[in-house]
Amino acid sequence: MIKKGDELLLKAITPKGEKLLAGLSSLADASADEQKYFDDTIAAGRSFKTRTTCVDAKVIAKKLEDIFLKTEFWEKVSDACLSCGVCTFVCPTCYCFDICDETLFSHGVRRRVWDACTFTDFTLEASGHNPRTKVYQRLRQKICHKYSFHIRKYGVISCVGCGRCTRNCPVNIDIFSIVDQALKE
Ligand code: SF4
Ligand code: SF4
């Protein structure tokens, strides 16, 4: 599905999809221009600039442990971070969640909802104490979880290198660049 102005262009890519579209009488056939627009948009999306990095998991895990308390490094790389949480919400390997109660007139439901370690209240405790009040502490947690703690615990980096966090960050914070900079520290 691709948006073109106020229109949506649909293309079936499975027999099930073809059957679904064939049953929708309100759809019009695409013009040659629209088909071209569709194909060009898909091609542009696939050719989006990507990078391949090759990081030794044990080396980066140890390096991040070594510079964990190097506050000036973490402040520098997180300087622009807005704590918006976008990078975690688009990440295919982020899985942190919160439990929220929705109540209305004495009835309610308990829900599990996505959460983000980059949010200001992610580690806020019931006592009011928050061990991660600083932006750099939260971004450091995100980087170190993926490139250090996860390796120590499970033996693999918990970042698949998709670049979604970098592409969607409103202030262009780039996880690969942070990893590169950390390795040079
Ligand atoms: S590049 Fe890594 S951290 Fe960023 S969204 Fe993809 S898996 Fe998540
Ligand atoms: S998307 Fe960018 S600005 Fe938002 S929390 Fe992540 S690193 Fe910070």
Side-chain angles (χ1 to χ4, degrees), residues 20-98:
L20 176 72
L21 294 192
L24 294 174
S25 57
S26 56
L27 297 182
D29 287 337
S31 66
D33 272 358
E34 286 168 337
Q35 286 190 31
K36 183 171 181 321
Y37 182 88
F38 192 101
D39 293 339
D40 288 350
T41 306
I42 294 288
R46 286 191 174 142
S47 69
F48 194 94
K49 195 173 112 193
T50 56
R51 279 176 291 155
T52 303
T53 55
C54 189
V55 185
D56 184 303
K58 286 194 178 141
V59 170
I60 185 65
K62 172 77 171 56
K63 175 56 87 171
L64 289 174
E65 278 179 16
D66 290 346
I67 63 168
F68 188 82
L69 294 175
K70 206 166 178 185
T71 306
E72 65 274 16
F73 170 79
W74 295 108
E75 283 180 336
K76 183 180 68 174
V77 296
S78 66
D79 190 39
C81 179
L82 307 169
S83 300
C84 67
V86 165
C87 54
T88 54
F89 279 90
V90 297
C91 177
T93 62
C94 279
Y95 51 76
C96 289
F97 63 87
D98 195 6

Side-chain angles (χ1 to χ4, degrees), residues 148-184:
S148 187
F149 312 150
H150 202 274
I151 297 163
R152 290 284 180 235
K153 199 163 171 65
Y154 302 111
V156 290
I157 296 170
S158 80
C159 166
V160 296
C162 65
R164 292 174 79 184
C165 54
T166 301
R167 291 205 296 280
N168 288 282
C169 174
V171 291
N172 300 320
I173 288 178
D174 174 23
I175 191 168
F176 305 128
S177 159
I178 295 176
V179 168
D180 282 346
Q181 290 177 64
L183 286 169
K184 290 180 190 132

Side-chain angles (χ1 to χ4, degrees), residues 98-104 106-113:
D98 195 6
I99 300 293
C100 290
D101 290 334
E102 284 180 4
T103 53
L104 187 64
S106 308
H107 295 283
V109 58
R110 178 157 290 176
R111 295 190 190 282
R112 188 166 80 154
V113 297

